[in-house]
Amino acid sequence: MPVPQVVESFAGSVNRVTLGATKDDGGTRNSTVTVGGAKNVVYGGSAEDAGETPVVAMDVLDSKPTDWPDALIEPYKDVIDSPADWAKKCVEEFGAEMICIKFEGIHPDKGDKDADHAVKVTEDVLKAVAVPLVLWGCGNDEKDNQVMPKVSGAAKGEKCLIGAVTEDNYKSLTAIALADGHFLITQAPLDINIAKQVNILASDMGFPLERIVTFQSTGALGYGIEYAYSIQERQRLAALAGDKMMAMPAICDVGYEAWRAKEAKLEDAPGWGGAADRGPMWETATATCLLQAGVDIIRMRHPRAVATVKNFIDQVWKSNS
Amino acid sequence: MALTGLDIFKLLPKTNCKKCGMPTCLAFAMALAQKRAKLDDCPDVSQEAKDKLAAAAAPPMQKVVFGTGDAQVQIGQETVLFRHEEKFHSPTVLGASVSDKLAGDELLDRIKAVNALQFERVGMKIGARAVALVNDSGSAETFAKAAATVKGNSELAMILVTQSTEAMAAAAAQVKDGMPLLANATLETADEMAKIAKANGCPLVASAESIEDLADLSEKIKAAGVENIVLELKSSGLNEKLFDHSRVRALGLRKVFRPLGYPIISFVTEGDADAQAASAISLICKYSGVVIVDMVEPYAFLAMLTAVMNVFTDPQKPVQVEPKVYSIGEPDENSPVMFTTNFSLTYYTVESDVEASRIPSYIIVVDTEGTSVLTAYSGDKLNEKTVADAMAKFGIENMVKHRKLIIPGYVAVMSGKLEEATNWEVMVGPRECSMLPKYLQEVWN
C-alpha cells in the first residue's frame, strides 16, 4: 500500500564540532572526535540525517575519589591514585574515545588542591593518552576561576572541551578558553531559557558559537531524567528550527548522576539484584534513555556500562554509515 | 488530523437552506470545524457524510486492551511524538518471554520468575505486566498445554507467540477467557489468524517487514473483522526498527493514516541482559506500547520499569510526595531535623544525600504544591509560617528532645523570622544538598 510521505523541512541543524588537535593542527593528539551535525530529530527522517555518532567520554578524577561505591572503585583499584594511569586504562582497556578530567579535588570541601596540582594532572594525562580531553571544573566559582585558567593554559592548543561556565560565572573561563583555542561548555540548570542566555553571554564576549557545547544538567534515571530528556528534545527542535543560539551539540554527565542514585549504590537491596549489576545497569539505562532525546557526548564511569552503551551506539548509529 | 472547514463543506448538501441556523452551508462547515456546531443541526446531511465525519473525529491511535481483571493492560491512544507537546498516555507494558520448550518445574520456575518482577518505587508499584509464551517447540499440542500452564500460574496479561495457525488455534481456545494478545499474523497467515482472533475475541498482532506491507496487513485484518490490532515491524536491525517506529508514529498521528493508527509491540531477543535493557529502553522511548524481553533479571527490569515511569510522567504536573515527616534510617530523639519541599525531585535528592551521610535523620516535607525550594520561596509557599505550621501539624516536637532545625542554604534569609515563629534554633544547611553528607557529619557528630 502506498504510504503518505512524512516530510519535515527543517531550516537548521546541529553544529558539527571537532575536538582535539593533532600534530598537523598544532597539538599532540593522535585522534580527534567530531560530534553534532544532526539534521533531524533522533531517528527522524532518514539515517543520513542522524549526523555524527555520539561518543562516550570516560571520567578520570584528579584526586582519588572518596565517596565512590565499591562496585565503581573495583575496575580502577590499581590506578585510582594516578590520573595518568587511570586515563590510560580507560583508553587502552575500555576504548574511551575521550577522557574527561573532573577536577573534583580542587573544591574547597573536597581536598582544596591548588592550581599546581591541577596543572600537573593535566600535563600527566596529556602525556599518558592521545585522545581529546574534556577539562571540567569543580563547580565552586571562586576556586574554578583560580584554577581552571591555569589548566586551560597547560593544555593550550590541544582543542580541549573546557568548562563549565554558568550564567553567573562565565567571564574568566570564556576569555581564557578563547585565548587558548579550546571549546567551551555552557551550563544551565535544566532550564532552556538560561541555556540560551549563557550561550548569548559567551557569544557577546566574542566566543564563536561553533566552538560551544551545551550542558543542560543531567538527571539520573528515576531522579529527574524526564526533565533532561524533554530539554534535550526541545534543544534539538530549536536547533532544527534555525535557532543559532541553541544549535550546539550537547554533553551530559551520566556517570556522576547515575552513581548517586540509591538503586546504583545501595549494597544490600533484596529483590533488586546484586549491587555489581545494578550500578552499571543504572548508568547504562540513564545513558541510553538520554540518547533517545538527542545528546552527543556522554560522560560515563563504569567500564561495563561504557561497553553496553558503545555497543548500543554502534548498532544504532554506525550500522548505516 | 481534524478535517478543515472546506473538507467538511464538500460533505454537506450545499443547499444553503438555513435550517441549521447558519446563513450558508459554508458558514456551518466552518462552525463545525471549530467545534462550535453539531452535525445533527443539519437535517439533510447524508449517512456517508456522518460516517466520514465520525471517522475523522476518532482518536488517531486505536486503544487496545488485553488480559483480564486487575491484570488487564491498555495500550495505544497516544496523541503526540514528543512528551513535552502534551504527554505520553499509556505507559509501555513490559514483559518477559517464556519458551514452550520448557516443561515441568523449569516452566514453572520461569513463570514464577516473570511474576516476581514487581517493585515499589517512590511509593508506586511497578512491575512486569505481560508474559509472552513463545512456540519454540513447533508443536501445537505442546504450545496449548504450556499456555494452560502459564494461565494457571500467572495473573499477568498473556501474549501467545507463534507463526503456526494450528498452534495459535489450539492455544487460543485453551486460554481465551484470559483475553490473550495473539502474535502474530503475517500477510500469508492474515485470514486464518484473523479468524482465530475473531472466534476467541482476542486482539491480534500484525507483523511485517516494511511499513508499506504493515499498512496492507492491518487493513486486511480489519476487513476480516478484527478491530483490535497491534503492529510489529520485523525491521532488519534495531537501527532500522527505531527509524520505522518514528515514521509509523508520525504517519499515524500527524497524517492520521488509519492503517498505521495502532499501538506497536517490540520483541527484544538479542544480547545479554544489559544489552537487552538498553535496546528495550530505546524502544520504550520510541513508541512501543508493549516491549517483551528474553530475560528475567530484576536489576534490568527495575531500570526499564523506571524508564517507563519517567518517560510517561505528565510534564505539566510536577510529581509530588506526601507532606509529612520522613524517617531516614532509624532516627531517635537526638537525630537531626531538616525540612524541604514536596516536589518529588527535590525530596528524593535530599533523601538520597541524607541516606549517604549515614546519619539517621528526620526530613519534614512542607507542602509547596510541588515546587522546588527556590521557586516555593519566591512564590511565598515556603516561608516561616508554612514551615512552622508543618512542624506543628506533624508533631515534630514530640519526636526529638532538641530544638534545632536545619534549613536549606538557599532560604538562609528566613532564619530570623523562622526562629521567632518556632522558637527553634535555626541552622543553615548547605545550598546544594550534595554537600549534606559532609555537613551533617560535621555538625551532628
Side-chain angles (χ1 to χ4, degrees), chain B residues 84-95:
Chain B
H84 66 262
E85 296 175 305
E86 184 188 322
K87 67 169 187 170
F88 289 171
H89 292 268
S90 309
T92 307
V93 173
L94 272 178

Side-chain angles (χ1 to χ4, degrees), chain A residues 1 109 222 230 263 304 316, chain B residues 83 121 216 239 274 310 435:
Chain A
M1 177 185 296
D109 296 334
S230 283
E263 289 81 353
R304 175 163 151 194
V316 171
Chain B
R83 58 186 293 283
R121 235 197 140 261
D216 280 333
N239 161 281
D274 292 26
N310 290 165
M435 301 309 293

Side-chain angles (χ1 to χ4, degrees), chain A:
Chain A
M1 177 185 296
V3 163
Q5 289 289 311
V6 184
V7 191
E8 313 249 24
S9 50
F10 292 120
S13 61
V14 177
N15 297 339
R16 246 191 191 81
V17 166
T18 300
L19 300 165
T22 58
K23 216 177 250 169
D24 295 343
D25 207 10
T28 61
R29 308 297 82 200
N30 279 346
S31 59
T32 61
V33 161
T34 303
V35 292
K39 287 186 261 178
N40 207 319
V41 295
V42 182
Y43 316 129
S46 67
E48 300 84 66
D49 297 338
E52 302 290 339
T53 303
V55 298
V56 172
M58 287 184 79
D59 277 4
V60 169
L61 269 52
D62 67 308
S63 314
K64 184 175 174 174
T66 50
D67 54 356
W68 281 20
D70 292 346
L72 187 52
I73 293 275
E74 177 61 29
Y76 302 111
K77 60 180 193 291
D78 51 333
V79 292
I80 204 106
D81 291 309
S82 158
D85 293 338
W86 184 346
K88 215 173 155 105
K89 185 163 191 165
C90 287
V91 173
E92 288 172 8
E93 281 182 42
F94 308 136
E97 294 138 291
M98 296 187 81
I99 292 293
C100 175
I101 311 179
K102 173 79 169 100
F103 292 95
E104 196 80 20
I106 64 172
H107 193 288
D109 296 334
K110 297 172 190 167
D112 204 18
K113 297 199 173 151
D114 61 11
D116 291 347
H117 152 85
V119 164
K120 180 158 191 319
V121 168
T122 309
E123 289 168 350
D124 288 352
V125 173
L126 276 168
K127 264 180 230 144
V129 298
V131 298
L133 298 189
V134 184
L135 306 167
W136 201 303
C138 67
N140 176 289
D141 289 352
E142 200 183 322
K143 202 61 195 288
D144 279 346
N145 289 342
Q146 271 174 35
V147 175
M148 292 311 285
K150 302 211 166 102
V151 167
S152 169
K156 186 170 178 158
E158 295 287 2
K159 295 195 174 168
C160 299
L161 185 55
I162 192 164
V165 302
T166 62
E167 194 184 21
D168 303 321
N169 186 48
Y170 64 95
K171 286 186 180 152
S172 48
L173 196 52
T174 302
I176 195 84
L178 185 63
D180 291 336
H182 295 309
F183 291 69
L184 190 66
I185 305 165
T186 57
Q187 175 175 353
L190 290 174
D191 183 318
I192 198 153
N193 298 313
I194 297 178
K196 188 163 171 171
Q197 178 63 15
V198 193
N199 290 336
I200 292 171
L201 291 171
S203 166
D204 284 350
M205 283 185 68
F207 203 92
L209 294 173
E210 315 73 70
R211 272 166 56 189
I212 293 177
V213 171
T214 56
F215 175 51
Q216 301 282 8
S217 296
T218 303
L221 185 69
Y223 298 84
I225 198 170
E226 65 271 31
Y227 296 89
Y229 188 93
S230 283
I231 281 182
Q232 297 300 166
E233 286 194 325
R234 289 172 63 197
Q235 180 186 350
R236 174 68 64 87
L237 288 166
L240 299 176
D243 186 343
K244 295 281 170 223
M245 289 296 165
M246 294 300 285
M248 298 78 186
I251 187 167
C252 57
D253 182 4
V254 165
Y256 168 72
E257 294 295 341
W259 284 92
R260 259 157 48 106
K262 180 163 71 181
E263 289 81 353
K265 65 186 180 192
L266 216 59
E267 282 287 326
D268 193 26
W272 286 5
D277 294 321
R278 260 187 282 121
M281 181 78 259
W282 214 253
E283 195 178 358
T284 298
T286 302
T288 34
C289 197
L290 288 171
L291 277 167
Q292 315 312 311
V295 292
D296 302 278
I297 306 174
I298 312 165
R299 278 179 56 195
M300 295 188 69
R301 290 189 168 168
H302 199 286
R304 175 163 151 194
V306 170
T308 311
V309 169
K310 277 166 69 88
N311 183 44
F312 175 83
I313 290 171
D314 284 349
Q315 261 189 77
V316 171
W317 268 267
K318 291 195 177 151
S319 55
N320 55 128
S321 56

Side-chain angles (χ1 to χ4, degrees), chain B residues 296-366:
Chain B
V296 289
E297 292 291 350
Y299 74 85
F301 264 83
L302 181 60
M304 296 186 294
L305 290 162
T306 305
V308 173
M309 196 178 192
N310 290 165
V311 171
F312 283 82
T313 299
D314 185 345
Q316 325 292 343
K317 271 193 219 141
V319 188
Q320 306 183 8
V321 294
E322 186 194 344
K324 63 173 190 178
V325 176
Y326 290 80
S327 299
I328 310 301
E330 286 171 19
D332 59 27
E333 56 190 20
N334 297 314
S335 299
V337 176
M338 61 204 89
F339 72 80
T340 189
T341 76
N342 75 327
F343 177 36
S344 75
L345 196 53
T346 302
Y347 171 73
Y348 285 110
T349 315
V350 173
E351 182 199 71
S352 157
D353 285 308
V354 173
E355 264 173 10
S357 77
R358 294 171 204 271
I359 296 178
S361 308
Y362 292 106
I363 305 176
I364 302 171
V365 168
V366 182

